[in-house]
Amino acid sequence: MSTYKDLAELIFPDVKLTIKDLEKRYPPRDLKEGAFVTRFAPSPTGFLHTGSLFTAMVAKKFASQSGGVYFFRLEDTDQKREIQGTGEDLVKQLKTFNVTADEGYFGNHDEGDYGPYQQSKRADIYKVVIKELMKKGRAYPCFCSKDELNELRMVQQANNVIPGYYGEYAKCRHYSVDEMIKMIKEGKNYVIRFKSKGNHLNHVTVHDMIRGDMELAENDQDIVILKSDGLPTYHFAHLVDDHFMRTNLVTRGEEWISSLPIHIELFETMNWEKPSYAHLPVIMVNDSETGNKRKLSKRKDKEAATSYFLQQGYPIKGFIEYLMTIANSNFESWLEQNINSSLDDFKLSFEKFSLDGALFDLPKLSNISKEYLSHLSKEKFTDEFLAWAEEYDKEVYTLVNNDRDYFEKIINIEREQEKPRKDYEKFSAVFDKISFFYSDYYDKKLNDPLPFSEFIDKEVISSFLLDFVSDLQRTLSMDENSWFSAMKEKGKKFNFADDRKEYKKNPEKYIGWYADCISLIRIAVCASTLSPKLYDTLQILQIDEIRRRIDKVIKKLQ
Ligand code: GLU
């Protein structure tokens, strides 16, 4: 009569290493008490999802703030779903968001002593563990075909019992080892399953760092651990990799909670210490059609891809800060108080994790970004802007890069002061607001009608503007307050009231009031009713260009 040991030797004749060898090769990490070893473990199946960035950011933060290690592991065991090149892309995209790993898979190479960090390269390691499980009679080959498994599902459905491969339904677990060996020798195809000892009528209590204790039904499924292609399933790879990479905190999406009983049984069977688990909330959105909350969807929501935010030019730090507000409910008030601090100074906590507040909120992102951008120095703003433009708007990049000082002056209007103006939420919105500073763009705007008030006569506008340029040299050299007074005086000459109350009292006596005459200058010089502070704008444009513009406008008015 053959034994499970014989079976293990038959299936894995080349596997000579033992678990002991692996324990030696991957020793416990030498870290201080309380340091977390975390990982981000994506599958290479597409772009970096906003939810994945969130998960990675959280994993990195828990590791770094505890003096631990955060690593990247590529989970590429499902080769049918793999999209070539996306593993490397994920690494690059994470780098853009500064969520770089301390060790792990880096695309073209690995860094660290616990590798390989790409699951498809770890087949030998998984086999060592499976061989030992099999020797103990806790793993067995399953010869069931797809059709047989489908049929099983149908029978279970018809009988209203829990679906799956377990207990009496797990046909292959009941074969004798001799029968198994015979079928293998006959060349029958098989996968390898774990032999569960659980019973789903029992409960297990599992602790989650965010959710506290959870009562779940014990696992009784004989899950597949090794597929016929020689690669493991997620559950088994999680067991082996997180053990030998010495992960002690698994941060992953809440969709994995239902698999926890499997993972618990696997760790307990191996007698390995379980990592702590923190199941993170899934990011939700309000569906614009139904008004209901739903998961952020790759198909429906542009916000699902992190590339959308890069292309729009949301500042990277602003975006990460926004994701932090989703993670911890106290982050926003911390940020208000610590606007210039590094994120490293904020301590992410399990207790403050928002569980149902993980709602993606674009207006909030805009506010945070505006706040962030408004506090940058002109140099830093320009650096970040140019880095964005170089990638996403070449024309603007060239223009700004040709005269960086000019751009810095423009975006410095009402910046670098105690309460800076919050003009910009993203880089793609910057140039539209300031393009009139550039002569070619201003001239193009003149092809459209200028938005002057229809209640003011064209002749009055022209005469006012002529008067405005007549002593430009003098007025431009004034300080701001004197300049305002001078403009008020000019307004009065043309019958603009110098205060609003007076104008409201006797509107028939005046053409408008002081703000209306300022607006004439703004429209003429900026070809828009909106502009940054006009005094500063004029100082930047300077006399010759202002004259040139006013000349053109007057001609256009004739
Ligand atoms: N590859 C799994 C996923 O992409 C990883 C889950 C985990 O972090 O354990 O969902």
Side-chain angles (χ1 to χ4, degrees):
M1 214 172 61
S2 311
T3 63
Y4 269 95
K5 238 174 160 175
D6 303 324
L7 181 64
E9 285 308 334
L10 175 70
I11 296 182
F12 302 107
D14 302 329
V15 175
K16 302 285 180 227
L17 283 180
T18 62
I19 289 183
K20 250 202 190 133
D21 298 323
L22 294 179
E23 296 289 355
K24 228 186 270 156
R25 189 194 294 172
Y26 304 113
R29 293 170 185 264
D30 187 16
L31 292 169
K32 68 171 203 242
E33 177 84 25
F36 284 125
V37 179
T38 64
R39 82 290 191 281
F40 176 53
S43 299
T45 52
F47 56 76
L48 181 65
H49 193 272
T50 300
S52 309
L53 175 61
F54 175 71
T55 308
M57 176 196 82
V58 168
K60 176 168 172 136
K61 183 79 180 133
F62 278 125
S64 66
Q65 71 186 20
S66 63
V69 176
Y70 158 68
F71 68 86
F72 184 114
R73 179 171 72 227
L74 193 68
E75 306 221 319
D76 59 346
T77 56
D78 190 349
Q79 304 207 310
K80 276 185 249 120
R81 286 177 55 225
E82 175 161 359
I83 302 175
Q84 279 306 320
T86 50
E88 213 162 335
D89 287 349
L90 287 171
V91 173
K92 276 193 212 137
Q93 287 163 344
L94 283 166
K95 189 163 177 227
T96 314
F97 289 100
N98 294 320
V99 186
T100 38
D102 303 318
E103 65 178 52
Y105 166 88
F106 280 85
N108 49 10
H109 70 289
D110 273 2
E111 280 174 31
D113 298 333
Y114 291 82
Y117 295 87
Q118 188 173 350
Q119 290 181 330
S120 59
K121 296 194 173 147
R122 298 173 63 80
D124 292 349
I125 298 173
Y126 305 119
K127 284 180 185 158
V128 171
V129 182
I130 294 187
K131 186 171 183 180
E132 297 217 7
L133 268 179
M134 193 171 274
K135 281 187 190 162
K136 289 192 211 145
R138 297 301 302 275
Y140 64 92
C142 167
F143 304 92
C144 288
S145 65
K146 255 200 186 130
D147 289 346
E148 278 175 286
L149 293 176
N150 279 339
E151 202 179 313
L152 172 64
R153 195 169 312 123
M154 265 151 37
V155 171
Q156 287 171 329
Q157 251 165 18
N159 294 332
N160 231 346
V161 295
I162 296 175
Y165 206 83
Y166 61 99
E168 59 182 297
Y169 300 105
K171 178 171 143 196
C172 295
R173 70 144 60 192
H174 300 292
Y175 288 131
S176 70
V177 174
D178 284 332
E179 284 171 313
M180 293 180 196
I181 289 181
K182 184 165 167 268
M183 282 188 269
I184 290 173
K185 288 193 170 155
E186 281 166 7
K188 276 195 121 188
N189 285 334
Y190 60 91
V191 295
I192 296 190
R193 287 186 186 269
F194 171 63
K195 196 191 257 179
S196 169
K197 282 194 175 166
N199 177 345
H200 69 257
L201 297 176
N202 295 339
H203 278 180
V204 275
T205 307
V206 200
H207 186 74
D208 182 276
M209 301 295 275
I210 298 175
R211 291 152 208 267
D213 284 346
M214 298 185 293
E215 287 265 306
L216 300 167
E218 207 169 78
N219 175 58
D220 62 356
Q221 299 275 342
D222 284 359
I223 56 147
V224 174
I225 51 180
L226 197 70
K227 300 177 291 170
S228 53
D229 62 5
L231 288 174
T233 53
Y234 168 76
H235 306 302
F236 192 69
H238 158 49
L239 165 82
V240 174
D241 294 347
D242 284 321
H243 175 70
F244 285 116
M245 293 178 176
R246 307 295 172 182
T247 309
N248 61 11
L249 172 65
V250 169
T251 47
R252 61 184 180 191
E254 64 189 345
E255 67 273 20
W256 294 108
I257 292 179
S258 57
S259 314
L260 253 179
I262 300 175
H263 305 154
I264 300 299
E265 191 183 2
L266 287 172
F267 274 97
E268 286 178 354
T269 304
M270 294 308 300
N271 223 348
W272 287 345
E273 195 178 332
K274 292 185 277 287
S276 298
Y277 288 95
H279 288 91
L280 309 182
V282 167
I283 299 181
M284 312 285 280
V285 277
N286 274 327
D287 189 290
S288 53
E289 277 164 30
T290 64
N292 294 335
K293 261 196 193 181
R294 61 164 173 75
K295 255 171 95 169
L296 192 60
S297 142
K298 283 191 203 184
R299 273 182 305 109
K300 294 189 192 153
D301 307 307
K302 53 188 185 325
E303 298 91 343
T306 52
S307 55
Y308 167 75
F309 300 98
L310 294 176
Q311 175 230 331
Q312 288 288 307
Y314 284 94
I316 303 235
K317 185 156 176 242
F319 188 55
I320 291 288
E321 286 173 351
Y322 171 66
L323 291 182
M324 277 289 192
T325 68
I326 297 190
N328 261 193
S329 51
N330 57 330
F331 178 73
E332 213 174 338
S333 54
W334 178 87
L335 186 61
E336 274 163 26
Q337 248 118 80
N338 297 275
I339 193 76
N340 290 320
S341 302
S342 147
L343 284 186
D344 297 342
D345 299 336
F346 176 75
K347 195 155 191 301
L348 193 66
S349 74
F350 296 112
E351 298 76 34
K352 291 276 196 283
F353 237 89
S354 338
L355 279 184
D356 44 31
L359 192 65
F360 199 86
D361 181 355
L362 208 51
K364 194 186 230 181
L365 168 62
S366 296
N367 281 341
I368 290 183
S369 298
K370 272 189 183 165
E371 190 74 45
Y372 170 78
L373 288 176
S374 72
H375 282 92
L376 291 183
S377 68
K378 63 178 192 288
E379 290 84 8
K380 182 100 190 355
F381 183 98
T382 307
D383 285 344
E384 288 198 24
F385 177 80
L386 281 174
W388 171 82
E390 188 171 18
E391 179 95 23
Y392 298 101
D393 194 339
K394 281 273 174 345
E395 183 180 324
V396 167
Y397 172 78
T398 311
L399 189 72
V400 172
N401 203 34
N402 278 344
D403 190 350
R404 193 186 151 119
D405 282 354
Y406 189 60
F407 180 79
E408 284 189 3
K409 275 189 203 142
I410 298 168
I411 54 91
N412 205 34
I413 298 178
E414 295 188 88
R415 175 179 299 277
E416 299 186 2
Q417 58 190 28
E418 204 194 324
K419 281 218 162 113
R421 269 186 66 103
K422 297 176 199 165
D423 284 323
Y424 312 112
E425 69 184 61
K426 52 185 181 181
F427 293 125
S428 58
V430 171
F431 195 69
D432 245 12
K433 291 191 174 155
I434 61 157
S435 62
F436 72 86
F437 275 100
Y438 294 87
S439 308
D440 289 352
Y441 289 80
Y442 170 84
D443 290 351
K444 248 186 243 151
K445 281 179 193 269
L446 285 197
N447 292 333
D448 297 325
L450 287 169
F452 286 123
S453 158
E454 54 192 274
F455 302 108
I456 306 178
D457 247 26
K458 281 184 180 172
E459 283 84 61
V460 174
I461 301 177
S462 294
S463 324
F464 176 79
L465 291 175
L466 271 177
D467 189 66
F468 168 70
V469 279
S470 66
D471 58 353
L472 249 188
Q473 187 108 41
R474 185 178 70 89
T475 55
L476 279 187
S477 63
M478 291 173 169
D479 66 24
E480 199 173 342
N481 283 339
S482 319
W483 181 80
F484 270 123
S485 311
M487 292 305 116
K488 264 190 191 172
E489 286 311 309
K490 277 191 194 302
K492 274 209 245 170
K493 270 203 307 205
F494 289 85
N495 206 20
F496 288 91
D498 65 358
D499 85 63
R500 190 187 162 88
K501 262 199 209 135
E502 166 62 18
Y503 173 57
K504 290 274 156 197
K505 243 193 275 163
N506 302 302
E508 66 297 336
K509 262 175 69 184
Y510 298 102
I511 297 182
W513 70 293
Y514 163 64
D516 295 320
C517 77
I518 289 287
S519 169
L520 297 182
I521 304 174
R522 173 175 287 118
I523 293 169
V525 172
C526 312
S528 164
T529 51
L530 299 170
S531 79
K533 203 168 172 191
L534 190 57
Y535 174 79
D536 291 348
T537 300
L538 296 172
Q539 296 293 332
I540 292 172
L541 284 170
Q542 297 188 355
I543 191 156
D544 291 344
E545 178 63 8
I546 300 172
R547 273 209 187 110
R548 189 188 76 88
R549 292 185 180 195
I550 302 276
D551 276 358
K552 282 196 149 211
V553 171
I554 289 174
K555 278 204 191 97
K556 193 175 155 77
L557 284 168
Q558 278 160 5

